[in-house]
Amino acid sequence: MRILLVDDNRTTLSILTRLVERVPDCVAIPFLKPDDVLACAAELEFDIAVIDFQMPVYSGVELLTELIRFERHAEKLFVIVTADTDAATRMAALNAGAIDFLTKPVNPLEFQARMRNLMALADARRKLSDRAEWLRAEVESAVAELRAREEEIIDRLTIAAAYKDLDTARHTRRVGAYSEAIARAYGLSSRACSDIRLASPMHDIGKVAIPDAVLLKTGKLTEDEFVIMRKHTVVGCDILKESKSGLLQLAAEIAGSHHERWDGQGYPYGIAGEAIPLSGRIVAIADNFDALTTARPYKEAWTVERTVEHIRQQAGAQFDPRCVAAFDAALSTLLTIRDDDLAAALAELQVAPSVGSGFFRSETRLRA
């Protein structure tokens, strides 16, 4: 245990130092001048401080007040040594943060007894602090493990939804990456951007309930078929919304709102403007950008230039103008994501050319 001693009287300081050295497991750190203490306060290490009240430059109370401004010393134990028994003096010391007093001349037996008690208190405080740190680390570990499980659940569900159509797997991953880039350009926090990246691939999870005859139809949908297709938003939201997972609740919000329009002409509920969740407004642009620049059974892929111009033109109509501005700011990142995904798709095709016709169809659309 390190005991800081501060007294401008050399004889008194020498006596206190010897008394500390007689206490088992104690090391004295003596100072004659309080300003010398403050000069090295940022690096000073001690557990208990014994400070004379009456000193030049800084009184004991003033020195104590300055020391506890340092975070590393704020919870340390301070003892004031004084010949003054005046109540006002003691109240000033207590108000400054002192925990105990010693009266001059210091009685050696009393000093050692008080040091032992204060050492026990300092040790108990340290153990309590260590336990608090251990608990904090355990909570962080548990939260991280829960987060990892949530991410795995979303990943597994996204993979399951992709089994109906191999094109969907790559589409959902790209939409997740696009959405994160747009969210970052919008100014959302790193955690919010990460959450949107993880949750947005679930935006079309409700398509598991859409009949294959409609979902995989190569031609244009009839009006009745389009009504059926629209239901994937409500189904997706219903699948996810009762979860206690924050990520899955965000995914439910996105699933239910990514086809709403800024002007209120979207579906499933026809809500407009900022009544549409921000996550849905962001994913709507990411989903549209990917859908238009990728070939589908019922259409050819649009060029990036044509797609970007379309999204800009739809600011204030289909899309939130601020989200369109974020899309513009993130465009170079989106193009890098798109190029990297195309390269990965081609690499997978070369490694596993026998995956099946569905994959070749997907690769053909990517080339387009």
Side-chain angles (χ1 to χ4, degrees):
M1 195 77 63
R2 297 169 65 85
I3 313 297
L4 173 66
L5 303 171
V6 189
D7 197 306
D8 63 312
N9 184 293
R10 192 177 298 274
T11 300
T12 302
L13 184 63
S14 177
I15 292 171
L16 292 176
T17 300
R18 288 198 299 271
L19 289 175
V20 167
E21 290 172 347
R22 292 176 186 174
V23 180
D25 302 319
C26 272
V27 176
I29 308 172
F31 280 86
L32 274 171
K33 298 179 180 180
D35 43 329
D36 288 346
V37 177
L38 290 179
C40 62
E43 296 81 31
L44 191 61
E45 292 286 349
F46 66 90
D47 301 288
I48 301 168
V50 179
I51 303 173
D52 185 29
F53 178 78
Q54 192 65 46
M55 293 186 295
V57 185
Y58 290 94
S59 71
V61 170
E62 290 170 339
L63 177 59
L64 187 163
T65 301
E66 291 300 317
L67 283 174
I68 62 176
R69 294 183 190 275
F70 293 85
E71 184 178 354
R72 68 191 305 165
H73 304 317
E75 300 299 323
K76 298 297 173 63
L77 303 177
F78 291 88
V79 179
I80 296 296
V81 182
T82 178
D84 192 348
T85 59
D86 181 63
T89 299
R90 294 186 173 243
M91 283 303 301
L94 287 172
N95 288 333
I99 195 171
D100 204 352
F101 295 93
L102 284 168
T103 302
K104 286 186 175 182
V106 175
N107 182 293
L109 294 179
E110 180 187 3
F111 179 87
Q112 291 177 333
R114 288 180 183 267
M115 284 302 104
R116 283 193 292 268
N117 290 339
L118 290 170
M119 287 169 61
L121 178 58
D123 187 55
R125 281 190 174 187
R126 182 186 295 116
K127 288 177 179 178
L128 184 60
S129 177
D130 290 345
R131 180 165 178 77
E133 178 63 22
W134 176 82
L135 286 172
R136 184 194 62 77
E138 287 295 299
V139 169
E140 286 186 356
S141 176
V143 169
E145 183 178 350
L146 179 60
R147 174 80 171 188
R149 289 179 181 177
E150 289 180 334
E151 292 179 17
E152 183 181 12
I153 288 169
I154 285 181
D155 193 42
R156 296 298 101 188
L157 287 173
T158 303
I159 291 171
Y163 265 84
K164 274 196 171 186
D165 182 6
L166 289 172
D167 290 345
T168 302
R170 305 205 77 91
H171 165 71
T172 56
R173 286 197 294 268
R174 289 192 301 270
V175 169
Y178 293 157
S179 298
E180 180 182 31
I182 296 170
R184 185 176 293 112
Y186 190 91
L188 298 188
S189 68
S190 296
R191 178 61 180 267
C193 293
S194 176
D195 285 351
I196 286 178
R197 173 180 58 81
L198 292 167
S200 57
M202 302 283 288
H203 66 284
D204 280 340
I205 189 70
K207 287 183 177 179
V208 297
I210 305 302
D212 287 354
V214 175
L215 182 65
L216 304 179
K217 184 177 179 179
T218 57
K220 186 176 180 179
L221 297 179
T222 66
E223 186 174 336
D224 288 341
E225 288 169 338
F226 190 57
V227 169
I228 294 172
M229 181 65 82
R230 282 183 167 190
K231 292 180 180 178
H232 80 275
T233 54
V234 176
V235 172
C237 184
D238 287 345
I239 289 172
L240 301 166
K241 69 181 181 181
E242 297 302 326
S243 172
K244 290 182 172 58
S245 161
L247 276 176
L248 289 177
Q249 289 173 5
L250 176 61
E253 178 181 270
I254 292 169
S257 64
H258 72 285
H259 280 297
E260 298 289 1
R261 290 172 54 107
W262 185 255
D263 60 11
Q265 300 303 306
Y267 65 89
Y269 303 114
I271 54 178
E274 294 187 359
I276 305 168
L278 177 58
S279 60
R281 286 180 262 152
I282 289 172
V283 174
I285 295 178
D287 185 36
N288 198 260
F289 177 77
D290 191 71
L292 292 178
T293 56
T294 306
R296 297 291 174 89
Y298 50 86
K299 74 168 191 66
E300 294 298 318
W302 286 17
T303 64
V304 170
E305 293 75 15
R306 181 184 176 190
T307 302
V308 171
E309 184 60 28
H310 167 77
I311 291 174
R312 288 171 178 167
Q313 289 176 351
Q314 289 298 313
Q318 184 175 356
F319 305 121
D320 175 355
R322 283 189 63 194
C323 289
V324 172
F327 163 80
D328 269 333
L331 186 56
S332 61
T333 302
L334 269 61
L335 295 179
T336 299
I337 293 167
R338 181 174 178 271
D339 291 345
D340 289 348
D341 183 75
L342 175 58
L346 295 176
E348 289 175 11
L349 181 63
Q350 292 171 359
V351 171
S354 61
V355 169
S357 60
F359 188 89
F360 284 99
R361 186 178 73 247
S362 175
E363 189 273 337
T364 301
R365 295 178 193 175
L366 282 169
R367 285 182 182 278

